[in-house]
Amino acid sequence: MSTTTGAFIAGGIAACGAVTVTHPFETVKIRLQLQGELQSKKDAPRLYRGVFHGVGVILRNEGPKGLFRGIGAAYIYQMILNGCRLGFYEPLRKGVTTAIFKDANVQSLGVNIFSGAASGVLGAAAGSPFFLVKTRLQSYSPFLPVGTQHGYKNAVDGLQKINRNEGIKGLYRGVGAAMVRTGFGSSVQLPTYFFAKRRLVRHLAMEDGPALHLASSAASGFVVCCVMHPPDTIMSRMYNQTGNLYNGVFDCLVKTIKTEGLLAIYKGYFAHLARILPHTILTLSLAEQTNRIMRRVEDKILPTKIREKI
């Protein structure tokens, strides 16, 4: 394991590689989540009818640029979020485990879940303004608009306009929903990944390498999507609103279910799954490789005494 700083950098680089591949599915997911917002099912138009239909419609009307709206903000957010999530997870886990069990090598599911959630919440809070502007950029369409349309030129223009019109409070609109959503996802992502990894090694005698990383990441990604999607839908709506359409996370949840039905919180689930599976596989698999690279770099530049302590 590299240092906390090294793990932060490695996690951020890995996440940026993953988001380059999966960003189009994120765009489709957000539009599916926003279409028919607070409309009954019979009255809501279905402009996007699924993952591949959504990709096709956006490509035909907006070109590749439409699928990659907000990619710059996504890179910054992923650097912050996954840098925190992968960088702080192990130090938190070791610290809490040592405090409780007096042995950092003890594996406790409860401690692992807590460490994953805490590291994710830290990242979500720090990166919230970038996810906010990313969501608004991705929801914008001059051809088939869904939800509130903002029309920012780019991420910088969006951040400036939000700050000018709504202040710092506006930049952190929906941060509570983001922390809940990411806390849910992070609480299971890394614990599930390491759990699957240990079981595959023990029961299938798999050796450490790309195949093990791939299988463990796939298991983790599926669990993350199941747990995280409902708060993800709420977060998308909280971020994209202007004014006070929703007063908070629970108000948004209640209004969505009351108006659109219980399944409304699962809008865009398959688009989310199409994004989260490859994203988790790429992020965690690349993180294994980038962590090794960072460790080699640190071995060359850090003094021996410091290396012995990490």
Side-chain angles (χ1 to χ4, degrees):
M1 175 63 70
S2 52
T3 63
T4 299
T5 302
F8 184 99
I9 295 170
I13 292 171
C16 285
V19 82
T20 303
V21 177
T22 61
H23 192 76
F25 293 117
E26 173 77 359
T27 300
V28 174
K29 182 208 73 174
I30 285 174
R31 296 192 186 184
L32 285 168
Q33 288 174 323
L34 293 174
Q35 76 173 353
E37 186 173 18
L38 297 186
Q39 293 178 284
S40 63
K41 194 172 181 179
K42 63 179 181 179
D43 297 326
R46 292 191 65 198
L47 304 178
Y48 306 96
R49 294 196 295 271
V51 184
F52 298 109
H53 178 263
V55 170
V57 166
I58 295 170
L59 271 177
R60 282 196 303 274
N61 291 286
E62 303 170 48
K65 181 181 177 181
L67 288 172
F68 283 92
R69 291 186 190 277
I71 187 71
Y75 283 141
I76 298 172
Y77 175 75
Q78 289 296 334
M79 281 290 293
I80 296 171
L81 173 65
N82 285 289
C84 289
R85 190 152 56 181
L86 298 175
F88 293 143
Y89 173 77
E90 194 62 19
L92 278 169
R93 188 197 67 77
K94 284 184 177 180
V96 175
T97 302
T98 302
I100 297 173
F101 300 103
K102 311 302 180 186
D103 182 0
N105 295 317
V106 172
Q107 288 294 330
S108 166
L109 181 61
V111 171
N112 292 351
I113 290 173
F114 169 78
S115 302
S119 59
V121 166
L122 286 171
S128 185
F130 298 101
F131 204 106
L132 169 70
V133 77
K134 178 191 77 72
T135 299
R136 293 186 177 187
L137 284 165
Q138 288 177 296
S139 69
Y140 174 75
S141 172
F143 298 96
L144 295 172
V146 291
T148 304
Q149 298 289 284
H150 299 279
Y152 304 139
K153 295 176 184 177
N154 50 48
V156 174
D157 178 58
L159 289 169
Q160 288 175 339
K161 285 182 177 176
I162 295 168
N163 185 51
R164 186 165 58 247
N165 296 328
E166 305 173 53
I168 297 296
K169 185 179 178 181
L171 288 171
Y172 282 90
R173 178 190 293 272
V175 68
M179 292 168 72
V180 170
R181 172 251 194 195
T182 309
F184 275 32
S186 298
S187 69
V188 297
Q189 186 190 50
L190 291 178
T192 305
Y193 175 74
F194 289 120
F195 177 83
K197 194 176 175 183
R198 288 194 299 272
R199 290 297 178 273
L200 289 168
V201 170
R202 181 181 299 177
H203 298 297
L204 298 181
M206 292 184 72
E207 296 182 356
D208 192 32
L212 177 62
H213 303 161
L214 184 69
S216 305
S217 300
S220 176
F222 179 76
V223 175
V224 167
C225 190
C226 292
V227 170
M228 193 170 69
H229 191 75
D232 185 82
T233 300
I234 301 304
M235 184 198 66
S236 293
R237 295 187 170 198
M238 291 286 294
Y239 272 155
N240 197 57
Q241 71 164 338
T242 52
N244 293 301
L245 185 61
Y246 307 111
N247 295 322
V249 176
F250 292 107
D251 181 56
C252 181
L253 177 65
V254 170
K255 283 182 177 177
T256 298
I257 293 175
K258 186 176 180 180
T259 309
E260 304 169 52
L262 181 62
L263 292 180
I265 58 175
Y266 281 95
K267 282 185 176 180
Y269 173 81
F270 290 107
H272 195 180
L273 191 62
R275 184 197 78 85
I276 204 73
L277 275 179
H279 183 87
T280 304
I281 290 168
L282 288 168
T283 298
L284 295 178
S285 298
L286 287 171
E288 293 273 7
Q289 312 309 319
T290 51
N291 255 313
R292 289 179 180 178
I293 294 169
M294 285 304 303
R295 183 64 183 184
R296 287 200 294 268
V297 171
E298 289 170 350
D299 284 344
K300 290 181 180 179
I301 64 174
L302 293 178
T304 306
K305 289 183 179 180
I306 294 178
R307 291 205 306 271
E308 290 174 352
K309 294 180 181 179
I310 60 175

